[in-house]
Amino acid sequence: MKRPPEELAEKLLAVSDQLSGTDLDISVDDIAKMADVPRATLYYYFSGKEDLISFFLSDKLHRASVAIGKAVAGEGNVVERLENTLAALLKVMMEHPALCTEMPGAIKEAAKYTEVVNEAERVMLAPFRELLIEGKATGELVIEDANTTAIALMGAVNMVAMFQLVQTGTIDLENTTAVLIPQLIQGVVPR
Amino acid sequence: MKRPPEELAEKLLAVSDQLSGTDLDISVDDIAKMADVPRATLYYYFSGKEDLISFFLSDKLHRASVAIGKAVAGEGNVVERLENTLAALLKVMMEHPALCTEMPGAIKEAAKYTEVVNEAERVMLAPFRELLIEGKATGELVIEDANTTAIALMGAVNMVAMFQLVQTGTIDLENTTAVLIPQLIQGVVPR
DNA sequence: TCCGGGAATAGACTCGTGTCTAAAGTTGTA
DNA sequence: TACAACTTTAGACACGAGTCTATTCCCGGA
């Protein structure tokens, strides 16, 4: 990918914002028409459709990383920060549905989406893993395998978000945050 | 879908077994060649590619439902059965990778894959929901919203399974079961 | 044995979509 | 001005999904 000039990038990202969820389904031709750009131009800057999609997802990940980073590095003890980060992830998925609907597909074909998957690992997974490791070190958390647990947490949030998006078209942020996050943190057996 | 005769069904399912993960990517023509069946015949019995893919996934779900059903209805208290069911889900995903790699995509396009998604809900989600409800009733579990929690558990297992499949080509069943399941049940904060 | 009718299949065709090629336009520099 | 290098673009191409038509195959009943 030959990074596109500012003007083109803006047009494309504007289009990608209108495209919630269905990202991977749209045709290059439609993207070109919506952005009012010749199809061939897209192939000049992007090595193919995947590259173009990656560009979209990458942008969303970039925006997401700000919100998540803030939650991770914010005030509070480890548990509070973990809660905030989970909440931030859910919010990010509401604002950028493609992050939750398309990411599993990208992970599945990690070979084709190397870049994006690496970014996603950095933005959506690593923060959890590090919080878990920190919490384990201080004794605030009980973690067997930080990596596996981080993946599990992300997967849980992802699946819940996707179900809601598909069924209702949006995410009930307030209620879901209040219900899901304590459940993940506390587990399902009584204390 | 005009249900296909036994012989054809067998050939197709044999092919689908070889196709781990990449299911949705293969062309109808290739499927036809692999199964040694004329392409026209496939369109005679199936209304299209989605219908064919659904047939594959449906078969895997059917096989999965046996193992999961056994775990749900087996011996032990609610917590033990929940553990067994989570373990069964993980095992099923190892044996039928398509169930974990393709299902998120099918859920995303639930409109196109109504049948399969309904089946998946019945086979992979409902069992958890019911166990959670039962456990909540007996006081063995503390559940705020059984549906959301069931989706979260399934999502957690799904994501962990998919990561392992993509990264290592298989699932380390023993170790992952031992690590992941207690973590999901117990939560992350000390008791 | 012949025949009618449904099942199965070959093969051609349309249409949409990703990708490439080659030409035209533009810009910077000697 | 001349030229090279880069940008931009139109148009062609290839391939796969899906459809349709016209055979061929097969079976049960007269």
Side-chain angles (χ1 to χ4, degrees):
Chain A
M1 157 174 151
K2 204 179 294 183
R3 73 170 62 137
E6 202 53 36
E7 193 198 4
L8 175 60
E10 274 173 28
K11 279 188 193 173
L12 288 175
L13 294 179
V15 168
S16 106
D17 274 343
Q18 298 179 323
L19 263 52
S20 63
T22 55
D23 280 12
L24 292 171
D25 279 1
I26 198 165
S27 74
V28 173
D29 201 55
D30 285 346
I31 295 173
K33 276 182 193 133
M34 283 197 227
D36 193 32
V37 161
R39 205 168 68 257
T41 301
L42 296 182
Y43 280 95
Y44 177 70
Y45 287 106
F46 301 92
S47 69
K49 188 179 182 180
E50 278 143 25
D51 200 28
L52 188 51
I53 298 294
S54 295
F55 177 68
F56 291 168
L57 288 178
S58 228
D59 172 66
K60 293 183 196 301
L61 277 173
H62 184 73
R63 293 197 247 168
S65 80
V66 177
I68 291 176
K70 208 168 280 179
V72 171
E75 294 290 308
N77 59 34
V78 169
V79 174
E80 286 163 351
R81 276 181 284 146
L82 180 56
E83 289 170 344
N84 291 340
T85 308
L86 286 165
L89 181 61
L90 194 61
K91 188 176 178 195
V92 150
M93 286 184 173
M94 183 183 71
E95 286 163 359
H96 308 292
L99 283 186
C100 92
T101 57
E102 308 300 333
M103 208 46 79
I107 292 169
K108 189 191 73 178
E109 309 196 58
K112 288 182 188 169
Y113 292 95
T114 324
E115 295 262 313
V116 177
V117 172
N118 283 341
E119 262 179 275
E121 136 84 25
R122 216 183 56 241
V123 170
M124 309 205 303
L125 196 57
F128 288 111
R129 194 173 41 224
E130 278 153 31
L131 273 178
L132 295 181
I133 290 171
E134 180 185 344
K136 186 179 179 182
T138 65
E140 288 169 88
L141 299 179
V142 177
I143 305 295
E144 186 69 32
D145 176 332
N147 191 46
T148 300
T149 305
I151 295 171
L153 289 175
M154 189 184 72
V157 171
N158 192 96
M159 190 62 85
V160 169
M162 189 155 70
F163 260 75
Q164 289 198 26
L165 279 171
V166 168
Q167 286 173 353
T168 72
T170 185
I171 294 174
D172 179 352
L173 198 56
E174 199 169 336
N175 186 49
T176 307
T177 300
V179 163
L180 177 62
I181 295 176
Q183 188 85 69
L184 290 173
I185 303 251
Q186 300 289 326
V188 295
V189 288
R191 291 178 173 269
Chain B
M1 158 171 151
K2 204 182 296 184
R3 73 170 62 136
E6 202 51 36
E7 193 198 3
L8 174 59
E10 273 172 29
K11 279 188 193 173
L12 288 175
L13 294 179
V15 167
S16 107
D17 275 344
Q18 297 178 325
L19 264 51
S20 63
T22 55
D23 281 12
L24 294 170
D25 280 1
I26 198 165
S27 77
V28 172
D29 202 58
D30 285 346
I31 295 174
K33 276 182 194 133
M34 283 196 226
D36 193 32
V37 161
R39 208 167 57 97
T41 301
L42 295 182
Y43 281 98
Y44 180 71
Y45 286 106
F46 300 92
S47 69
K49 189 178 180 179
E50 279 146 22
D51 200 27
L52 189 52
I53 299 293
S54 295
F55 177 69
F56 291 168
L57 288 178
S58 228
D59 172 67
K60 292 184 197 301
L61 277 172
H62 184 73
R63 293 197 246 169
S65 81
V66 178
I68 291 176
K70 208 168 281 179
V72 171
E75 293 291 308
N77 59 34
V78 170
V79 174
E80 286 163 351
R81 277 182 283 146
L82 180 56
E83 288 170 345
N84 291 341
T85 308
L86 286 165
L89 181 61
L90 194 62
K91 189 176 177 195
V92 150
M93 285 185 174
M94 183 184 71
E95 286 163 359
H96 308 292
L99 283 186
C100 93
T101 57
E102 308 299 333
M103 209 44 80
I107 292 170
K108 189 190 71 177
E109 308 196 59
K112 287 182 189 167
Y113 293 96
T114 325
E115 294 265 311
V116 178
V117 171
N118 284 341
E119 262 178 276
E121 136 84 26
R122 215 183 57 240
V123 170
M124 308 205 303
L125 195 57
F128 288 111
R129 196 172 40 224
E130 277 153 32
L131 273 178
L132 296 181
I133 290 171
E134 180 186 344
K136 185 179 179 182
T138 65
E140 288 169 89
L141 299 178
V142 176
I143 304 294
E144 185 68 31
D145 176 332
N147 190 48
T148 299
T149 305
I151 296 171
L153 289 175
M154 188 185 72
V157 171
N158 192 97
M159 189 63 83
V160 169
M162 189 156 68
F163 260 76
Q164 288 198 26
L165 279 171
V166 168
Q167 286 173 353
T168 73
T170 185
I171 294 175
D172 179 353
L173 198 56
E174 198 168 337
N175 187 49
T176 307
T177 300
V179 163
L180 176 62
I181 294 176
Q183 188 85 70
L184 289 174
I185 304 251
Q186 299 290 326
V188 294
V189 288
R191 290 177 174 268

